[in-house]
Amino acid sequence: MIMEIAKLEKHFGGLVAVQEVDLALAAGSIHAVIGPNGAGKTTFFNAITSIIPCDSGQITWKGERIEKLSPQSISAKGIARTFQNIRLFAFMSVLENVIAGTHNHFRSFVWGALTRNARYRREEKESREMAMALLEKVGLAEKHAEYARNLPYGEQRKLEIARALASRPDLLLLDEPAAGMNNTETEELEQFIRALRAEGLTVLIIEHDVKLIMGLADRITVLDHGVKIAEGTAAEIQNNEKVIEAYLGKRRV
Amino acid sequence: MTLRNVYASKEGKAIGMGGLAVILLVLPRLLGGNDYLLQVATMMALYVVLASSLNLIIGFTGMYSLGHGAFYGMGAYTSAILSVNLGWPFWITMPLGGLLTALVGAFLGLATLRLRQTFLVFGTLAFGEIVRILIMNWSSLTRGPMGIPGIPPPKVFGTELTSSTHYYYLILVYAILMVFAIFRLYYSRIGRAWVAIREDEVAASSMGISVFGYKILAFTISCLIAGLAGAFYAHFVTFISADQFGMGESFLILTMVALGGTGSIAGPIIGACILIVIPEAFRFLAEYRMVLYGAMLIVVIVLKPEGLAGIKGLFMPTTGGRRRTTLFRREPKVAAVKAGGSQ
Amino acid sequence: MALLDVKDLVVHYGKINALKGVSLHLDKGDFVTLIGANGAGKTSLLGALSGLVQATSGTVTFKGGDLLNEAPEAYVKGGIAHVPEGRKIFGELSVEENLYAGAYIIKDKAQVKSLLERNYQLFPRLAERRKQEGGTLSGGEQQMLAIARGLMSDPEILYLDEPSLGIAPLLVDKIFEFIMQINAMGKTILLVEQNANLALQVAQYGYVLETGKITHEGNCARLREDDAIRCAYLGVNGNGN
Amino acid sequence: MFLQQLINGLAQGSLFALIAISFSLVWGLLRMVNFAMGEVYMLGAYAGWLVVMYATPNLGVALVAGFVIGWIVGWFIEKVAFKAMRGVPHIASLVCTIGFSFFLKELASALFRAETKSMPSYYSDTAFTFAEANISYLQIIMVVIAVVMMVLLQILFYRTKIGLAVRAVALDYRTASLMGMKVDRVTSLAFSLSGALAGFVGVLAATYYNAVNASMGFVAGLKGFTAAVFGGITSIPGAILGGYLLGAIENLSVKYMSSGYRDLVSYFILITFLLFRPNGILGKKAKL
Amino acid sequence: MQNKWHSLVGVTLLVGGATGAWAAPSTIHIALTAPITGDYAEYGNNFKHSVELAIEEINGKGGALGKKFELSVGDSKGDPKESAILAQKWTSDSTILAEIGDFTSTCCMASQPIYNRAGVIQLSPTASHTKFASGSKWSFSAYGTQYWEQPVMASLAVDKLKLKTAAILYINNDWGVDTQKFFKENFEKRGGKILAEESYFSGETDFNAVLTKLKGAKPDALFIATMYNDGALISKQREKMGWNLPVIGSSALYSPQLIQLGGTAVNGVYSNVSFFAKDPDPRIQSFVKTFETRYGNSPNFAAALAYDCVYLLAEAVKRANAMDRSAVRDALAATKDFKGLAGSITFTQDRDAIKSYKPVQVVNGDFQLVK
């Protein structure tokens, strides 16, 4: 288990967004979190990455407790993420967005930037090459000079993934990566995520596109109103009564 | 393809820079010893530095500051007090002035933990005023309202720099160095971190960028540069007093950044040059000079809110801003489109 | 005659094309639903149909009049009420003030009073809490308040944007009952939902929006049986499960 | 003397409080600050002075004139600096109001010439003396006006339809527009009202200090903003409370320390509250 | 857009460059630096008007050495930075013989090194900073420092009015601090006692607090080191507090506006003058009358001082019998018993003016000499 989450809880005022959720993540697996809108999935992600501090619970990453760390430290530990409502650096070029993702892998600071010494030049070159390689991978290499804000929706999603990968993470958290993508793009995405797993990356994914999830995920966790109601393989989930009732909706009226 | 070809082509920039450098170097010649114009040029260079340094805070990192006049003054006072009271040479007091200002700037940067937007504007403004009031009242150190006269001019290789041309070259070298430094910082890992913070703090922090650390760094470097500029100014005018570093200066510097364009290297440079030249060019208007100056400021900002050389749309949140625009600025309907659509 | 007729509506956000030519048709008394995934453009479409979002081209005809890119108040005055996503009630106003805000365009005080009474009858929960601040209500109550507030302008057509969002399942049922009740009162309803299953059960006619385009439309009963839709939106595996 | 300082502080506080309301109105709607507020106040004072000198010695008319001029100028600033610039950088609006501040001040200076103008005294007699402290009629009137203004505004905001619209727009302008509220018009109205209040206080201040000049606005504006933050910028009662407290604290601070540090006290309060209690004394609970 | 700015800069440079070539040696070219706009605009305009008036008079009488005076005016806004820019403008124009201005000491001192380097006379009508004139051999102050003025007021207070104690309220700037310091020194030297001192920042309008505090010290008299406008405000607020005691100020109070603004509250206030508009001297009377008819307001002390500065220069030119900057400077430095509107002027070693001051008092809404 690369990450273990125990009894994670987050309240907003009186509202319980995430309630005592446990989750164990196997290294090299694709794990999906699904649930109806407002089930607390994004809050769950935000709590894992410390963007909002959790109220209680433990998150263990490679044997180390990380729930009290800052977002940047969590990133430094090798956890990267994308956002549901795309948070690119709009007024940076596509390439720079990805280079910004490599931030933690380089050390040159004010002095290096001012003098452009050997280390700085090496690091800049390295980071640029790394970023370009990632852009090639997601198919955005040609648009590397555009402002990120000028990309179409689907490409912005790809760019966000490339940016997250730039920090060379061991775990990638994807928050609805297929939202706003058309069918071809979604299929490409699926292939892409599989390829990432093949490279040894662990992926935790929130998705609404059930088709994508069912075909992709090794394990699925279902949240409803902040509570974990089921976990298992795709087949198990699809046959779980609780899931069908709460998430897929029982026949009403 | 270059990294930043989004903004401008490198060749064009290089030619422009080269030309500009030559003009700047031979400017005293060009002006034929006209010290007045040289003085204007010197002031421009000084304010180019001040505006560029404020742009680090406002344009790059997306924070606000209306305390820049005070930082500038702090550098001036530190250097002046050290050289007048202790007789230390300019080349020691100037960096010390910058360092002290940087220290205070770092401290003020802590405030950004809690203050945002307009609150930061007023927080820094109040801070600036507190500095001014302290200077006024701490007479034993600062001579209070009497100011500090007789600040020695800098010496280079044993000779005092006294002529306008000397000062011009001194500040020119300083300005070029500082703008160059800012340029290099901007196009580096640090600059990217700043811009990332400006664009989206949450995303920046999840990319491993220490938001708070880089905000403090921006304040520190910005104040260092402003403090050095203040030290230069003190030894240039040889007399400083608290009223030279009041709110008016902070407003002026902020205005330069906003008018020229936030977030670009050229913006504050253009803004500083214009706001120094305009009052000079309007001299013939006598008492209506500043009326027109104010009016011009309003008109330019309304017509080009991002500034003359700013990035169009910068600081417009991609979602909120767009919606607001569609909500409040109703563009006239395009008749042709409608005719085409309503078959 | 159609109550609301939308043809080839195109919306751009900067260079991003959010709607790529959407056509809709609503008759009086209809209960129409619009389903689609996150980012498909549902909220943009509703925005463009209530004056919040500027459309690039297309037509929006309401009761025979052209409303494209009019100010939001023109839509409200025309008889359209938009209950926005996430309820968006005025948290610091009391329940009653929220309702009065909804009746802003109605000049006749007596009419406002009677609308208020009618809403209190429809939602007795709100009547109990009329002096309470909107922000202190529970999610379900807030949604009721948002719908009631929409009804306060006495609209002919009511847009509902994701009314099930973040609400406890029991209450979701309750709210959908209210919606059907409102429809039965003769109000036309355009329901935007992510919870496709639910939406397709309550509505009569449905549109499926995908990345800015309508990909399917038809009778809800028929849409429910459509394989592609079952697979993508109903969570039923397309490979026959 | 404590009592006298307190009374002086309250009289001055009434002025701060009214300017603070002006800031609160704009803040509530736009989450922005009008840097030219002090200059609107100054123009109001000139309007009042012109009326008293050249039309009628009636102070009421002068106050109305200040109100009207403030309304017009406030309306104009909103149209140029805020309306035309919505959805554009925050900093541009800020700088635009700084431009207005410059422009209006220098315009007044050029039009009316720079020297300080004398405003006649009204109701300056001592109404009564209480434990060695003198209280003038005008001081009483000022406090009464501030309180009446607050009550009127509370009625406007809590008892009228337009007030409801202002509050709704302040809370969520997008949703408010879905209710058919004309966001632009409501914003414009609140902005004009805030200008009108500033102009009105300008006349009051001119009467209290018997002087009008072009640079009188800046300090007043800054103190007004401080008072607003102090009491709670999102609420009118907060602004009033902040004004009175700031007036009292400033005046009492002079009693206990060198007057050279008087402004320091205000700025210190401003920074402290911005940092540690940005919602002011009344806190988040209080609302427009 | 940018191109336009470029051309604007170009035009400015050209125009500026051309001024150097307009040299017309047939005139005595002097420059005036004054705050025509900004917070001190009132004084700046007084400067400008009276200097224009003086030049017109001199030119009407044929000028000096047969040459007419020519004036260039620059607005410094009260901003030291602009004052320094103007100083460069004037000094780089070889036809300019001398400069009059600026109004504040800060501005004067910021531009002083420039005049010093270029060797151009800098004659300020009002700079009162004790370190100003002594800072450069080219700098002169026609104002007369408080060092000379305050003994007069202290003597009036102690010797004539028999006051034992006083409280001081002063504006926190270089002039205010000097005034306060020298009054205190001289008052205590004569056996008086200062019970309390308070300062305020420029722009303040509410003096109730400080006045109440000073009142608590129960002094015999109140000394106010302020300009006339603040002086009027202070007096009004003092009157409203019902605090009646002798009030003494400095020459800066002497302005018709003091009475206009202060009304009955300033009755009894002591000030002193070197320039007295009621002086029956026909020169003064004609100056006051011309000034009033032409500009619509009465001249204050600053106007008279600036007027004197022009005559000081004219006389220096005559005595030097040359148009040479350094000769005129020497002649100016040697000025003795120059009879100006604002009293007689003799420059000290440090080029500060020694002046004569006459105490005045406001009596029934009018300034009267204290007999």
Side-chain angles (χ1 to χ4, degrees):
Chain A
M1 291 295 128
I2 193 164
M3 178 186 261
E4 277 173 278
I5 295 165
K7 296 196 186 258
L8 193 72
E9 197 150 323
K10 178 70 203 173
H11 302 252
F12 291 115
L15 184 81
V16 187
V18 174
Q19 196 177 355
E20 300 204 344
V21 172
D22 299 327
L23 194 124
L25 208 54
S29 69
I30 297 178
H31 195 126
V33 177
I34 62 171
N37 247 353
K41 303 180 301 278
T42 295
T43 309
F44 182 59
F45 262 36
N46 285 345
I48 294 176
T49 51
S50 268
I51 282 173
I52 46 167
C54 58
D55 295 330
S56 63
Q58 300 167 6
I59 306 173
T60 315
W61 169 252
K62 293 179 176 173
E64 189 187 349
R65 292 276 292 277
I66 59 163
E67 71 269 7
K68 295 269 188 300
L69 296 183
S70 64
Q72 63 260 28
S73 319
I74 285 179
S75 162
K77 298 268 175 219
I79 300 173
R81 68 169 293 178
T82 67
F83 296 88
Q84 184 184 0
N85 46 342
I86 306 185
R87 307 186 79 142
L88 286 171
F89 306 129
F91 281 93
M92 283 171 103
S93 74
V94 167
L95 181 61
E96 283 172 311
N97 264 276
V98 184
I99 295 180
T102 67
H103 189 83
N104 262 346
H105 289 278
F106 300 104
R107 285 288 159 268
S108 69
F109 206 51
V110 176
W111 184 249
L114 291 178
T115 56
R116 301 218 165 155
N117 53 19
R119 182 174 79 163
Y120 169 88
R121 288 198 302 272
R122 192 193 68 232
E123 289 189 357
E124 277 292 295
K125 187 159 168 277
E126 240 175 78
S127 62
R128 197 172 313 175
E129 281 166 3
M130 210 172 123
M132 276 312 282
L134 279 167
L135 287 177
E136 295 277 358
K137 216 166 162 183
V138 297
L140 287 173
E142 286 192 355
K143 296 197 172 183
H144 71 96
E146 292 257 358
Y147 272 146
R149 70 197 289 252
N150 291 341
L151 294 185
Y153 206 68
E155 293 186 352
Q156 291 200 359
R157 289 245 176 250
K158 289 182 191 166
L159 175 56
E160 222 193 2
I161 296 172
R163 184 182 67 179
L165 288 174
S167 64
R168 285 189 272 195
D170 295 324
L171 169 65
L172 179 65
L173 302 164
L174 297 171
D175 196 345
E176 298 208 19
M181 284 188 175
N182 59 30
N183 282 341
T184 359
E185 283 174 322
T186 310
E187 273 161 34
E188 280 171 23
L189 179 74
E190 194 177 335
Q191 292 311 315
F192 186 72
I193 296 173
R194 280 181 206 283
L196 290 178
R197 177 174 55 181
E199 287 170 22
L201 199 66
T202 313
V203 178
L204 183 60
I205 180 171
I206 292 175
E207 188 48 67
H208 259 98
D209 189 332
V210 181
K211 194 178 72 177
L212 176 73
I213 287 303
M214 294 299 168
L216 189 62
D218 300 320
R219 269 188 101 69
I220 297 173
T221 297
V222 187
L223 292 186
D224 190 23
H225 292 94
V227 183
K228 177 162 124 181
I229 56 168
E231 188 176 311
T233 62
E236 285 164 11
I237 292 299
Q238 275 173 321
N239 295 321
N240 186 312
E241 270 307 311
K242 254 175 141 177
V243 176
I244 292 169
E245 188 179 310
Y247 175 57
L248 303 177
K250 64 179 175 199
R251 292 264 158 181
R252 289 198 174 89
V253 186
Chain B
M1 273 295 179
T2 55
L3 176 59
R4 292 265 177 171
N5 61 350
V6 193
Y7 301 123
S9 88
K10 201 160 192 169
E11 295 79 6
K13 233 175 198 172
I15 294 168
M17 284 292 170
L20 189 67
V22 170
I23 293 175
L24 287 175
L25 280 176
V26 299
L27 192 66
R29 286 264 147 172
L30 282 182
L31 299 177
N34 186 320
D35 283 350
Y36 160 55
L37 295 178
L38 211 53
Q39 173 95 4
V40 175
T42 308
M43 279 296 150
M44 269 186 200
L46 185 71
Y47 279 89
V48 161
V49 174
L50 288 169
S52 296
S53 71
L54 182 62
N55 193 33
L56 278 184
I57 295 177
I58 295 179
F60 296 172
T61 325
M63 301 180 290
Y64 292 90
S65 171
L66 251 180
H68 231 58
F71 292 126
Y72 167 50
M74 237 181 263
Y77 261 90
T78 310
S79 185
I81 289 169
L82 290 177
S83 67
V84 169
N85 291 2
L86 303 177
W88 292 5
F90 170 75
W91 298 107
I92 293 173
T93 60
M94 171 162 156
L96 285 178
L99 283 178
L100 181 92
T101 315
L103 215 68
V104 177
F107 174 74
L108 193 70
L110 292 173
T112 59
L113 254 190
R114 307 191 68 108
L115 296 182
R116 293 266 186 288
Q117 302 256 341
T118 317
F119 277 7
L120 187 56
V121 171
F122 276 91
T124 49
L125 189 144
F127 172 80
E129 278 303 279
I130 286 176
V131 168
R132 195 179 64 86
I133 292 170
L134 286 178
I135 291 178
M136 290 291 257
N137 284 295
W138 193 353
S139 299
S140 56
L141 183 72
T142 63
R143 299 176 39 87
M146 308 306 286
I148 302 181
I151 305 165
K155 271 185 191 166
V156 176
F157 304 123
T159 42
E160 281 201 342
L161 299 185
T162 44
S163 83
S164 314
T165 320
H166 290 159
Y167 276 120
Y168 170 75
Y169 280 120
L170 185 61
I171 184 72
L172 184 68
V173 169
Y174 172 62
I176 289 175
L177 276 179
M178 288 304 131
V179 171
F180 185 65
I182 289 169
F183 176 86
R184 284 207 150 169
L185 284 174
Y186 183 47
Y187 292 105
S188 77
R189 177 171 169 268
I190 296 164
R192 276 190 300 269
W194 282 335
V195 176
I197 290 167
R198 177 189 79 197
E199 293 296 314
D200 193 325
E201 283 188 21
V202 170
S205 68
S206 0
M207 293 304 114
I209 295 166
S210 162
V211 172
F212 185 49
Y214 275 92
K215 280 183 169 180
I216 290 189
L217 183 70
F219 256 98
T220 311
I221 295 180
S222 170
C223 291
L224 173 73
I225 298 173
L228 292 175
F232 171 85
Y233 177 77
H235 294 266
F236 168 55
V237 294
T238 73
F239 170 73
I240 55 167
S241 59
D243 52 347
Q244 296 176 44
F245 309 105
M247 252 179 285
E249 285 299 301
S250 300
F251 279 127
L252 179 66
I253 301 168
L254 175 80
T255 310
M256 285 169 173
V257 176
L259 186 79
T262 38
S264 71
I265 298 280
I269 298 178
I270 293 172
C273 292
I274 288 175
L275 288 189
I276 295 293
V277 164
I278 287 287
E280 295 301 314
F282 284 176
R283 285 216 172 275
F284 62 94
L285 289 167
E287 68 262 43
Y288 286 93
R289 177 167 76 120
M290 296 318 286
V291 181
L292 205 75
Y293 175 89
M296 186 211 72
L297 209 59
I298 297 168
V299 169
V300 173
I301 289 290
V302 168
L303 293 182
K304 253 180 111 55
E306 71 273 14
L308 295 167
I311 306 167
K312 197 164 177 71
L314 188 64
F315 291 147
M316 260 197 247
T318 12
T319 50
R322 176 187 60 229
R323 287 183 192 143
R324 301 204 103 179
T325 316
T326 49
L327 176 56
F328 292 106
R329 280 187 169 169
R330 308 208 65 88
E331 280 140 33
K333 296 178 201 165
V334 184
V337 174
K338 293 196 72 178
S342 58
Q343 293 155 10
Chain C
M1 195 182 75
L3 185 64
L4 178 68
D5 196 43
V6 180
K7 277 212 172 74
D8 303 322
L9 196 65
V10 177
V11 168
H12 285 269
Y13 289 154
K15 290 192 178 173
I16 298 166
N17 194 345
L19 292 182
K20 302 164 182 164
V22 170
S23 300
L24 290 179
H25 180 97
L26 273 84
D27 283 319
K28 193 160 171 48
D30 273 1
F31 190 157
V32 172
T33 184
L34 180 79
I35 60 175
N38 254 359
K42 294 174 305 213
T43 300
S44 307
L45 177 58
L46 280 199
L49 296 183
S50 58
L52 277 183
V53 173
Q54 190 91 1
T56 317
S57 64
T59 56
V60 177
T61 318
F62 182 68
K63 293 198 283 189
D66 178 21
L67 276 181
L68 184 74
N69 290 347
E70 288 292 334
E73 62 257 25
Y75 288 81
V76 187
K77 285 196 177 133
I80 293 174
H82 180 167
V83 180
E85 184 185 348
R87 310 182 282 273
K88 300 282 164 58
I89 55 153
F90 301 114
E92 292 176 9
L93 302 191
S94 71
V95 167
E96 193 149 294
E97 282 173 330
N98 264 287
L99 292 174
Y100 276 121
Y104 185 74
I105 56 149
I106 297 176
K107 298 258 181 319
D108 182 0
K109 277 189 181 159
Q111 195 192 349
V112 174
K113 253 285 91 33
S114 79
L115 281 166
L116 193 68
E117 286 315 313
R118 205 176 73 191
N119 269 310
Y120 281 149
Q121 273 166 23
L122 194 58
F123 303 102
R125 270 287 249 300
L126 297 181
E128 287 165 26
R129 297 170 192 270
R130 61 171 76 193
K131 291 290 167 214
Q132 202 170 321
E133 265 186 26
T136 63
L137 299 182
S138 77
E141 288 166 342
Q142 288 192 2
Q143 188 62 56
M144 289 181 206
L145 176 56
I147 295 173
R149 188 181 60 183
L151 289 172
M152 283 299 290
S153 63
D154 200 15
E156 289 183 49
I157 182 164
L158 194 66
Y159 303 158
L160 295 161
D161 198 350
E162 307 257 2
S164 72
L165 189 68
I167 287 167
L170 269 173
L171 274 167
V172 171
D173 288 355
K174 185 117 183 150
I175 280 164
F176 273 75
E177 275 163 30
F178 280 129
I179 296 172
M180 294 176 74
Q181 213 175 322
I182 291 162
N183 181 236
M185 282 157 55
K187 307 273 183 208
T188 313
I189 287 182
L190 176 57
L191 170 70
V192 166
E193 256 300 345
Q194 210 172 46
N195 191 338
N197 200 325
L198 189 53
L200 290 180
Q201 282 179 50
V202 294
Q204 301 146 1
Y205 197 83
Y207 292 90
V208 180
L209 191 65
E210 267 176 37
T211 53
K213 274 185 296 222
I214 301 279
T215 52
H216 299 83
E217 66 174 284
N219 216 303
C220 285
R222 201 176 58 72
L223 283 180
R224 275 208 302 271
E225 302 310 316
D226 188 306
D227 265 355
I229 291 165
R230 283 168 64 87
C231 172
Y233 299 97
L234 303 179
V236 182
N237 199 320
N239 308 328
N241 179 338
Chain D
M1 284 297 117
F2 177 87
L3 194 66
Q4 182 72 58
Q5 294 287 30
L6 192 66
I7 288 160
N8 295 339
L10 291 182
Q12 198 186 6
S14 312
L15 300 175
F16 290 164
L18 289 167
I19 306 170
I21 296 179
S22 303
F23 279 107
S24 281
L25 279 176
V26 175
W27 182 266
L29 277 167
L30 298 168
R31 288 289 178 273
M32 288 211 207
V33 170
N34 178 4
F35 266 101
M37 198 69 89
E39 274 61 41
V40 180
Y41 159 96
M42 175 270 295
L43 285 181
Y46 268 106
W49 173 79
L50 281 174
V51 165
V52 172
M53 298 310 285
Y54 298 107
T56 158
N58 189 325
L59 182 63
V61 178
L63 285 168
V64 170
F67 191 88
V68 170
I69 285 293
W71 183 283
I72 294 168
V73 178
W75 176 84
F76 185 72
I77 292 177
E78 199 268 338
K79 282 285 166 280
V80 175
F82 290 90
K83 166 78 186 299
M85 304 192 44
R86 239 169 273 174
V88 300
H90 187 92
I91 191 167
S93 284
L94 211 70
V95 170
C96 201
T97 60
I98 292 175
F100 263 106
S101 160
F102 252 125
F103 173 73
L104 295 175
K105 181 176 155 190
E106 292 299 335
L107 188 69
S109 174
L111 286 180
F112 300 107
R113 288 216 309 269
E115 68 264 16
T116 306
K117 302 281 189 277
S118 161
M119 183 86 178
S121 291
Y122 289 92
Y123 312 108
S124 60
D125 302 336
T126 300
F128 52 88
T129 306
F130 180 77
E132 266 190 77
N134 297 315
I135 303 164
S136 75
Y137 287 108
L138 188 62
Q139 286 178 325
I140 297 170
I141 291 171
M142 275 160 52
V143 174
V144 169
I145 285 182
V147 172
V148 167
M149 271 293 172
M150 182 184 87
V151 172
L152 281 180
L153 286 171
Q154 291 296 99
I155 290 173
L156 176 71
F157 287 126
Y158 287 94
R159 296 276 178 275
T160 68
K161 199 166 159 177
I162 188 73
L164 181 67
V166 171
R167 286 190 293 148
V169 169
L171 287 170
D172 182 347
Y173 73 95
R174 275 170 60 80
T175 307
S177 76
L178 288 177
M179 311 288 109
M181 293 164 181
K182 294 188 182 73
V183 175
D184 280 4
R185 201 177 289 175
V186 168
T187 311
S188 183
L189 176 97
F191 215 103
S192 308
L193 187 62
S194 102
L197 258 175
F200 180 85
V201 197
V203 182
L204 214 55
T207 314
Y208 186 52
Y209 301 124
N210 311 111
V212 180
N213 69 49
S215 45
M216 69 190 278
F218 189 77
V219 173
L222 204 59
K223 293 280 168 70
F225 181 80
T226 305
V229 171
F230 192 12
I233 193 165
T234 50
S235 84
I236 286 170
I240 292 271
L241 178 72
Y244 281 121
L245 277 180
L246 186 70
I249 289 174
E250 265 208 0
N251 280 268
L252 291 175
S253 77
V254 170
K255 181 172 160 61
Y256 297 108
M257 59 201 272
S258 161
S259 53
Y261 290 102
R262 173 177 175 166
D263 285 2
L264 203 65
V265 174
S266 304
Y267 296 126
F268 188 73
I269 288 176
L270 180 58
I271 287 195
T272 312
F273 270 76
L274 284 174
L275 281 175
F276 301 109
R277 206 176 158 83
N279 292 306
I281 296 172
L282 290 192
K284 232 183 196 120
K285 281 260 141 214
K287 49 194 186 283
L288 188 71
Chain E
M1 204 64 183
Q2 273 179 36
N3 284 335
K4 273 187 205 157
W5 291 119
H6 286 314
S7 55
L8 183 60
V9 175
V11 167
T12 328
L13 293 177
L14 279 178
V15 169
T19 42
W22 286 339
S26 58
T27 59
I28 300 169
H29 192 176
I30 59 169
L32 172 69
T33 314
I36 309 292
T37 60
D39 286 350
Y40 306 107
E42 176 188 1
Y43 299 99
N45 283 304
N46 258 310
F47 271 18
K48 183 169 169 254
H49 294 155
S50 59
V51 167
E52 280 169 0
L53 214 63
I55 287 183
E56 208 172 284
E57 276 175 30
I58 295 173
N59 286 349
K61 291 178 205 149
L65 301 182
K67 293 194 172 98
K68 300 216 162 162
F69 270 84
E70 185 193 331
L71 179 70
S72 292
V73 182
D75 171 23
S76 73
K77 237 162 69 185
D79 178 351
K81 177 168 75 253
E82 293 222 17
S83 197
I85 288 178
L86 283 168
Q88 287 288 12
K89 183 173 181 166
W90 306 142
T91 52
S92 57
D93 181 346
S94 61
T95 66
I96 283 181
L97 179 67
E99 182 254 7
I100 296 178
D102 197 333
F103 174 70
T104 67
S105 297
T106 306
C107 285
C108 292
M109 291 172 82
S111 48
Q112 185 174 45
I114 297 165
Y115 293 109
N116 186 34
R117 273 201 300 273
V120 173
I121 297 164
Q122 179 191 20
L123 172 56
S124 172
T126 47
S128 60
H129 199 293
T130 40
K131 291 267 164 67
F132 166 62
S134 59
S136 148
K137 71 169 194 162
W138 293 92
S139 298
F140 296 82
S141 171
Y143 185 63
T145 59
Q146 297 301 319
Y147 179 79
W148 303 102
E149 183 178 334
Q150 287 317 319
V152 179
M153 298 318 286
S155 151
L156 171 82
V158 178
D159 304 336
K160 185 156 179 104
L161 303 174
K162 309 286 177 214
L163 300 168
K164 300 256 179 317
T165 60
I168 302 179
L169 177 55
Y170 63 99
I171 183 166
N172 202 347
N173 62 21
D174 57 294
W175 176 85
V177 169
D178 256 356
T179 309
Q180 168 259 354
K181 182 176 127 203
F182 286 113
F183 179 78
K184 183 180 179 183
E185 217 172 273
N186 284 291
F187 188 69
E188 287 180 345
K189 205 157 67 193
R190 286 171 173 75
K193 199 159 182 278
I194 300 298
L195 299 179
E197 295 163 76
E198 291 295 330
S199 66
Y200 67 92
F201 283 109
S202 134
E204 188 56 71
T205 44
D206 196 310
F207 298 98
N208 287 310
V210 269
L211 286 174
T212 307
K213 185 173 179 185
L214 292 175
K215 186 182 178 186
K218 300 198 167 41
D220 291 347
L222 176 66
F223 180 78
I224 50 175
T226 69
M227 295 282 140
Y228 76 87
N229 44 4
D230 293 343
L233 273 183
I234 290 166
S235 300
K236 281 226 156 179
Q237 289 172 30
R238 179 188 51 76
E239 188 190 42
K240 282 182 199 168
M241 280 169 50
W243 187 26
N244 296 312
L245 80 173
V247 176
I248 303 165
S250 76
S251 56
L253 283 186
Y254 177 71
S255 165
Q257 245 97 25
L258 177 79
I259 292 160
Q260 262 182 40
L261 286 172
T264 55
V266 294
N267 271 338
V269 169
Y270 290 96
S271 164
N272 70 72
V273 290
S274 44
F275 161 71
F276 190 44
K278 293 267 159 38
D279 199 312
D281 183 338
R283 266 179 74 212
I284 291 177
Q285 283 316 306
S286 100
F287 166 71
V288 171
K289 204 163 270 161
T290 324
F291 195 100
E292 279 174 350
T293 46
R294 187 165 313 172
Y295 304 114
N297 60 329
S298 307
N300 60 15
F301 70 96
L305 285 164
Y307 180 91
D308 283 353
C309 283
V310 182
Y311 274 94
L312 268 172
L313 283 174
E315 199 173 279
V317 169
K318 277 183 205 155
R319 273 190 281 122
N321 198 16
M323 294 273 294
D324 176 48
R325 282 173 176 175
S326 123
V328 174
R329 189 216 82 91
D330 292 344
L332 187 63
T335 301
K336 252 202 165 73
D337 293 327
F338 163 85
K339 295 278 174 278
L341 296 185
S344 73
I345 290 176
T346 301
F347 281 117
T348 64
Q349 285 288 315
D350 281 342
R351 294 158 303 280
D352 274 317
I354 303 175
K355 311 193 69 166
S356 51
Y357 301 94
K358 290 173 255 176
V360 289
Q361 187 181 20
V362 181
V363 179
N364 295 329
D366 209 354
F367 284 102
Q368 282 184 10
L369 288 170
V370 177
K371 302 263 156 51

